[in-house]
Amino acid sequence: MRPSPVFFGILVLAIAGGVMAAFSGSSQFSVSIKDPLLITGVVLLVAAGWVASLSLHEFGHAIVAFRGGDHSIAHKGYLTLDVRKYTDPMLSIVLPLIFLIIGGIPLPGGAVWINRGALRSRSTSSWVSLAGPLSNLAVGAAITLVCYLVPMSAGLLVGLSYLALLQIVTFILNILPIPGLDGWGAIEPYLSPQARDFGARVRPWAPLVLFAALFLLTPVNTALWRGAYALFNAVGGVEEAAQIGQYVFMFWKH
């Protein structure tokens, strides 16, 4: 269960981005949103931080599954926090990062293959599915707590705040009871065989329909962000800082 050097390398990139963002802004809540150092720092901090959180999300699934009876998890390398073990690099890292930069929506990335038959109970299977989204919620809450307790420059504050907001968005998206997402996995053990069969048939494309709706239908997109900001504020997030961080991260739009 020793963390992979790859995971530490991703953290180093995120820290480097944080340092650049920190030195780009003043100690007041004021930033120059056209500052190349700020833009580079925020993009690096958020992108690398998001990939690191992807590893933690999948590790959450894996560790609960391991303790719940699926010991094959260890042999697959899922307990190492090595994002390469969870993902297809293009489909699970590169494309989601592109969509994140283009539309600001963190698409689910990696995947761990769980032997559900080896799990001890239906409740264990549900907690395996819930562990990933809950890790995002925990990371988001932890980052907002750091932002609240630790004095920092405006540049670092906006970068961390946006990264925390993305964790909340990821939690909400993954917790939806839609086939292919973790919310469906949490309720699936308690559904009828007919419902499970239906979920298996639509699993490949149901999330794609959701994400298409998020990108193309303004009311759906608005509902997501309103819910995300409400939860973000509830865990102590600074909404204005997150909005500025998003503006900087999506610099190409401005």
Side-chain angles (χ1 to χ4, degrees):
M1 292 178 60
R2 179 178 299 177
S4 163
V6 172
F7 179 73
F8 288 116
I10 294 169
L11 289 182
V12 168
L13 287 176
I15 292 170
V19 171
M20 285 187 282
F23 281 98
S24 67
S26 70
S27 59
Q28 304 297 319
F29 191 68
S30 174
V31 296
S32 173
I33 57 178
K34 299 297 185 180
D35 182 352
L37 185 61
L38 174 65
I39 292 173
T40 303
V42 168
V43 169
L44 190 57
L45 168 62
V46 173
W50 181 79
V51 175
S53 73
L54 171 63
S55 299
L56 292 172
H57 177 109
E58 301 303 337
F59 177 81
H61 289 311
I63 190 63
V64 175
F66 179 78
R67 292 178 176 175
D70 182 9
H71 295 156
S72 68
I73 290 295
H75 302 298
K76 296 172 183 175
Y78 291 165
L79 300 179
T80 64
L81 286 169
D82 187 341
V83 70
R84 298 173 302 175
K85 300 294 184 180
Y86 308 134
T87 64
D88 173 273
M90 179 58 68
L91 295 178
S92 297
I93 298 178
V94 177
L95 286 180
L97 277 175
I98 291 173
F99 280 115
L100 180 61
I101 294 173
I102 292 175
I105 298 176
L107 305 185
V112 293
W113 297 98
I114 307 295
N115 179 8
R116 299 277 174 173
L119 300 178
R120 295 191 181 97
S121 64
R122 290 188 296 178
S123 63
T124 298
S125 184
S126 293
W127 280 111
V128 168
S129 294
L130 291 172
L134 289 176
S135 72
N136 291 113
L137 181 61
V139 170
I143 294 175
T144 59
L145 183 62
V146 169
C147 291
Y148 177 77
L149 294 176
V150 179
M152 63 183 67
S153 73
L156 181 57
L157 177 62
V158 300
L160 285 176
S161 295
Y162 182 50
L163 178 58
L165 176 63
L166 288 178
Q167 300 304 310
I168 302 300
V169 176
T170 301
F171 166 77
I172 292 175
L173 287 175
N174 276 279
I175 210 69
L176 295 175
I178 294 174
L181 300 180
D182 293 327
W184 178 267
I187 65 173
E188 188 175 28
Y190 300 95
L191 298 177
S192 67
Q194 294 81 3
R196 292 197 296 269
D197 289 342
F198 170 78
R201 289 196 300 271
V202 303
R203 181 177 286 114
W205 54 265
L208 298 179
V209 173
L210 169 65
F211 296 126
L214 288 170
F215 281 107
L216 300 176
L217 301 178
T218 300
V220 178
N221 188 283
T222 299
L224 170 66
W225 286 104
R226 282 181 177 173
Y229 272 113
L231 184 53
F232 179 66
N233 292 333
V235 298
V238 181
E239 184 171 335
E240 183 182 0
Q243 289 172 342
I244 295 174
Q246 183 180 36
Y247 188 93
V248 174
F249 183 77
M250 300 179 71
F251 65 93
W252 60 273
K253 280 189 170 184
H254 315 295

